[in-house]
Amino acid sequence: MDRLPKCEANYAALTPLTFIKRASKVYSNRTSIIYGHVRFTWQQTYQRCCRLASSLRNLNIAKNNVASVLAPNIPATYEMHFAVPMAGAVLNTINTRLDAKTIANIIKHAESKILFVDCQFVSLASEALQLLMSKNMSIPLVIVIDDLCSPTGIRLGELEYEQMILQGDQNFVPEEIVDEWDPIALNYTSGTTSAPKGAVYSHRGAFLSTLSLILGWEMGTEPVYLWSLPMFHCNGWTFTWGIAARGGTNVCIRNTTAQEIYSSIVSHNVTHMCCAPIVFNILLEAKPHEHRKLTTPVQILTGGAPPPAPLLEKIENLGFHVVHAYGLTEATGPALVCEWQKNWNKLPKDEQAKIKARQGISVLTLADVDVKDLKTMKSVPHDGKTMGEIVLRGSGIMKGYFKDEKATSKAFHKGWFVTGDMGVIYPDGYLEIKDRSKDVIISGGENISSVEVETVIYKHPSVLEASVVAMPHPKWGESPCAFVTVKKDEKAIKEADIIAHCRRNLPGFMVPKRVQFLDELPKTSTGKVQKFQLRILAKSLTILDKEKNGNWERRGQYNDQPQEQILALSRL
């Protein structure tokens, strides 16, 4: 075997750039993008990407330079996922929901050479750049993206995106990817408890993660994909590249509203979409004039916080078919998918919903996933009860944090990427998240999964959202504290109603000792509930100080404070 010839000439680096080149040939006349009245074919999209890559080179954007973009789900954002790496540069999609200070910090840390700004976010970008200039820091070259759907266009600067497309060479030969471990994207974490960190993706990791998801989701050819998930979120969970691989159609929308989602689904026969569970509430709470009846099922891949089984059941009754995934920025998006088994179709709907709430099994191209005790590195029993930390291994995991060796070293432990999430494994090998490691509530020596308590609260017919955190308890150390938002016109519900509901469905030690109603839960810019804020708030609500007849009395100076004052305290 040692004497077998080496075929180095036949080697080709793995990169998702091959997907669009193939799409331009095989699916050349298929519709690639729909955005309002704008339509492109795959041949046109490929040519536009080549033109943009050519213009980037003409602007001296060199290999491994960072090109940032601050824009919603529009054609330009999609095109940059191919054009920027075609020029040898690294794409950095910035969360449009961030404030100017955070955006300025990202641009500074990424050392962005060029910044594409959608016309909607010019003011925000200007504020961020002014912060940099006030500290005598260099700023990137700015390119404004006019709205293609605007009747007249909006001229906001000398350099404009469509001008770059027109001036570029459609016969431009993209940068050859020699090393598949070269960076393709730089994505910053949401930074809920600390400064955002930049996760570096490789061409190889992006290629493999993309294949995993289109295979695991059983996405066939010619899907019609609705961009309800932000493209800045882990590069749209790699579906920016994946839709090209399947010769599908990208339906772009600026705003994730019930009206835009339902209208797009019906108008364009949407087959697939991704979203965080928060979008489920948008769909469920749609007003009569916003809602459209679905004639064919729409496949939804959801991730983020584990969606409670009752919520999954409600959304499927509308005509959506939900597949649950688990991932994080550092894993190039989803790393686990709840792959469905046919024999589960025979189960009652509520049992199916419980299974769908699991995070499932590893995507095909992930080398390994496990739940371990990090102290001993032993795997937990497959009993669906014993909790440990979820760890991952494979090429789809980030190369590391940009310019942060300390954080990178901490994230990897004995050959595994440590997610910080607690989970269990069932006898069938399927994994389920129970909590973030820092969110597990330890009450009298018992570990309480906040997710389990939330799932029960969600079953109450008046509840819209629920989040459970630990609050100090004078006897048990910690006890569950629930924060709840209710559906419209459900103001009559009281704390006692939620507690009584929990007592009927949970062991006594898991029942929340306090329920606080809020108009809305504090969330990050990507829609994740900011539990660290709720923990601070829970401490201010600590009012259990002595026991009478088996019941704890409520005491504390914040007991009757208005919600605005309580929330202000949580932000201190």
Side-chain angles (χ1 to χ4, degrees), residues 136-148:
N136 294 320
M137 295 175 183
S138 61
I139 63 171
L141 174 67
V142 178
I143 309 294
V144 176
I145 307 168
D146 283 353
D147 191 354
L148 285 170

Side-chain angles (χ1 to χ4, degrees), residues 322-386:
V322 181
V323 173
H324 191 214
Y326 161 80
L328 56 170
T329 303
E330 293 87 345
T332 319
L336 308 175
V337 176
C338 189
E339 193 171 296
W340 195 250
Q341 298 185 24
K342 287 184 179 180
N343 58 304
W344 291 340
N345 291 326
K346 302 174 184 178
L347 297 173
K349 288 292 183 181
D350 60 334
E351 288 297 317
Q352 290 186 33
K354 288 178 183 178
I355 292 173
K356 286 186 177 183
R358 295 181 189 176
Q359 284 63 45
I361 55 178
S362 67
V363 295
L364 282 170
T365 56
L366 194 68
D368 205 358
V369 60
D370 205 352
V371 179
K372 291 180 177 290
D373 179 332
L374 290 187
K375 293 180 180 178
T376 64
M377 291 306 289
K378 289 184 178 179
S379 303
V380 302
H382 289 203
D383 56 10
K385 298 178 181 179
T386 307

Side-chain angles (χ1 to χ4, degrees), residues 435-441 448-450 468-470 531 535:
D435 233 327
R436 291 289 295 171
S437 57
K438 60 180 176 289
D439 292 335
V440 173
I441 302 164
I448 300 174
S449 163
S450 65
V468 175
V469 299
K531 284 198 170 184
R535 280 192 289 270

Side-chain angles (χ1 to χ4, degrees), residues 23 96 128 144 153 167 191 200 225 227 261 307 325 400 408 533 560 569 571:
T96 57
V144 176
Q167 293 170 5
V200 180
Y225 182 88
W227 277 104
I261 292 173
T408 300
Q533 279 201 29
D560 300 316
L569 282 166
R571 298 188 184 102

Side-chain angles (χ1 to χ4, degrees), residues 236-408:
W237 295 352
T238 75
F239 285 107
T240 42
W241 300 305
I243 303 305
R246 294 280 70 197
T249 298
N250 297 275
V251 179
C252 295
I253 56 176
R254 271 187 173 267
N255 303 299
T256 310
T257 63
Q259 186 162 351
E260 281 214 54
I261 292 173
Y262 279 116
S263 176
S264 296
I265 289 173
V266 174
S267 299
H268 306 302
N269 297 315
V270 167
T271 60
H272 293 74
M273 59 183 281
C274 294
C275 67
I278 188 174
V279 176
F280 291 171
N281 288 329
I282 293 175
L283 295 169
L284 289 167
E285 293 290 298
K287 296 175 182 176
H289 72 276
E290 297 172 330
H291 188 272
R292 303 279 293 275
K293 187 176 181 180
L294 307 186
T295 55
T296 56
V298 177
Q299 306 295 321
I300 288 186
L301 184 67
T302 188
L311 189 60
L312 288 175
E313 193 171 359
K314 290 175 185 175
I315 201 70
E316 293 217 326
N317 288 336
L318 292 178
F320 297 95
H321 181 266
V322 181
V323 173
H324 191 214
Y326 161 80
L328 56 170
T329 303
E330 293 87 345
T332 319
L336 308 175
V337 176
C338 189
E339 193 171 296
W340 195 250
Q341 298 185 24
K342 287 184 179 180
N343 58 304
W344 291 340
N345 291 326
K346 302 174 184 178
L347 297 173
K349 288 292 183 181
D350 60 334
E351 288 297 317
Q352 290 186 33
K354 288 178 183 178
I355 292 173
K356 286 186 177 183
R358 295 181 189 176
Q359 284 63 45
I361 55 178
S362 67
V363 295
L364 282 170
T365 56
L366 194 68
D368 205 358
V369 60
D370 205 352
V371 179
K372 291 180 177 290
D373 179 332
L374 290 187
K375 293 180 180 178
T376 64
M377 291 306 289
K378 289 184 178 179
S379 303
V380 302
H382 289 203
D383 56 10
K385 298 178 181 179
T386 307
M387 283 199 292
E389 191 139 357
I390 300 169
V391 291
L392 309 171
R393 192 163 56 186
S395 297
I397 307 301
M398 66 170 182
K399 288 163 63 72
Y401 293 118
F402 186 50
K403 299 190 299 186
D404 198 337
E405 292 184 8
K406 184 178 179 181
T408 300

Side-chain angles (χ1 to χ4, degrees), residues 398-424:
M398 66 170 182
K399 288 163 63 72
Y401 293 118
F402 186 50
K403 299 190 299 186
D404 198 337
E405 292 184 8
K406 184 178 179 181
T408 300
S409 178
K410 184 179 178 181
F412 292 90
H413 181 62
K414 295 186 177 179
W416 294 85
F417 172 72
V418 180
T419 66
D421 288 314
M422 304 298 290
V424 299

